[in-house]
Amino acid sequence: MGATMVNTILDKAQTILQDPDGTRWSKAELVGWVNSAYTEIVNARPDATAASQTFKCEAGITQVLTDQFPQALRLLEVDRNVASASTGAMVRLIERGVLTSQVRDWPTETPSDTVEFYMFDPKLPREFMVYPPATADAELEVVFSSVPENHDPANIPADETIKVPDSYANVILDYVLYRAYSKDAEYAANAQRAAAHFEAVQFALGTKAKTDTAVTPRDESPAKR
């Protein structure tokens, strides 16, 4: 996803660790921590790996992302209908309680190729419900996050890039250094270094979230102010 080479991060880490030959921390070990960094990033920022895909619905109201996308971590949005038999209409998010108060028997209504609303429960991040109930021909454009596939610690090609946007490259580096120094945390200096790099990871992820919120496009019409 990014343009930053994995080996660039590994080389920087080895330079900072003063271990250019991988004597204390092997390159394979560092790659394992790059893989772990992705989990840390995506848990804090699910949008870091956001992807839009076509999801083929199961007949009924409950839809499970992992049935088609095993790597899916969290639904971010259901965008629109894309089945050829549908109208291509956009899909809107609605609270389940609101829909139930208006259409009490909505789960038993006639299934349709065109979904009008979807419902999301944060306790079930890989699932969502649809209204009206979907037919097996209904297809939706969905946006979801996932944890990237691991790099192979035994083989990192020279042109292999990181699997998150380049803006997370320093976060990955700090996470790798945090884990490396934690290995020798019995030494006070290394324990302090590990803590400092972990704080840098947390700070960077939190700061980026605030920055992204500040620059997110929004409706500035008078009615919304």
Side-chain angles (χ1 to χ4, degrees):
M1 182 181 292
T4 302
M5 303 298 177
V6 175
N7 279 312
T8 297
I9 291 177
L10 301 179
D11 291 343
K12 287 181 178 179
Q14 289 182 316
T15 298
I16 294 170
L17 293 168
Q18 299 182 36
D19 186 33
D21 298 323
T23 303
R24 182 69 184 94
W25 299 275
S26 70
K27 208 160 205 179
E29 186 176 13
L30 299 182
V31 172
W33 292 332
V34 170
N35 291 332
S36 296
Y38 292 143
T39 302
E40 190 79 17
I41 290 168
V42 175
N43 281 337
R45 293 299 309 272
D47 58 301
T49 57
S52 178
Q53 298 284 350
T54 297
F55 178 84
K56 185 172 177 59
C57 292
E58 292 287 333
I61 63 171
T62 301
Q63 309 299 325
V64 182
L65 276 176
T66 49
D67 286 348
Q68 291 175 50
F69 307 109
Q71 76 279 18
L73 181 69
R74 185 180 186 85
L75 176 74
L76 299 180
E77 185 178 28
V78 177
D79 191 19
R80 62 190 180 96
N81 291 274
V82 294
S84 57
S86 75
T87 63
M90 303 298 289
V91 182
R92 295 177 59 189
L93 177 65
I94 190 172
E95 294 289 338
R96 182 176 175 180
V98 172
L99 178 61
T100 301
S101 68
Q102 297 177 3
V103 188
R104 193 169 184 82
D105 59 349
W106 65 268
T108 61
E109 286 205 359
T110 303
S112 173
D113 294 337
T114 301
V115 170
E116 296 180 33
F117 297 99
Y118 76 99
M119 291 145 278
F120 177 72
D121 183 345
K123 297 188 294 295
L124 299 169
R126 299 172 182 85
E127 299 181 13
F128 61 100
M129 291 183 175
V130 296
Y131 172 81
T135 67
D137 292 325
E139 293 185 353
L140 302 169
E141 184 177 284
V142 300
V143 181
F144 62 90
S145 66
S146 59
V147 176
E149 293 184 8
N150 286 343
H151 299 286
D152 181 359
N155 179 32
I156 296 293
D159 61 350
E160 187 156 342
T161 59
I162 61 174
K163 298 183 178 182
V164 291
D166 293 320
S167 57
Y168 292 99
N170 286 340
V171 175
I172 296 172
L173 176 59
D174 275 314
Y175 187 85
V176 169
L177 293 171
Y178 148 65
R179 294 295 297 270
Y181 284 124
S182 294
K183 183 177 178 179
D184 289 332
E186 65 271 20
Y187 300 107
N190 283 349
Q192 292 173 357
R193 292 188 182 105
H197 284 292
F198 186 70
E199 287 177 7
V201 169
Q202 299 301 307
F203 180 79
L205 292 176
T207 299
K208 191 175 189 310
K210 292 177 182 178
T211 301
D212 288 354
T213 299
V215 299
T216 296
R218 66 194 70 187
D219 186 353
E220 294 292 349
S221 61
K224 297 294 185 181
R225 293 175 183 171

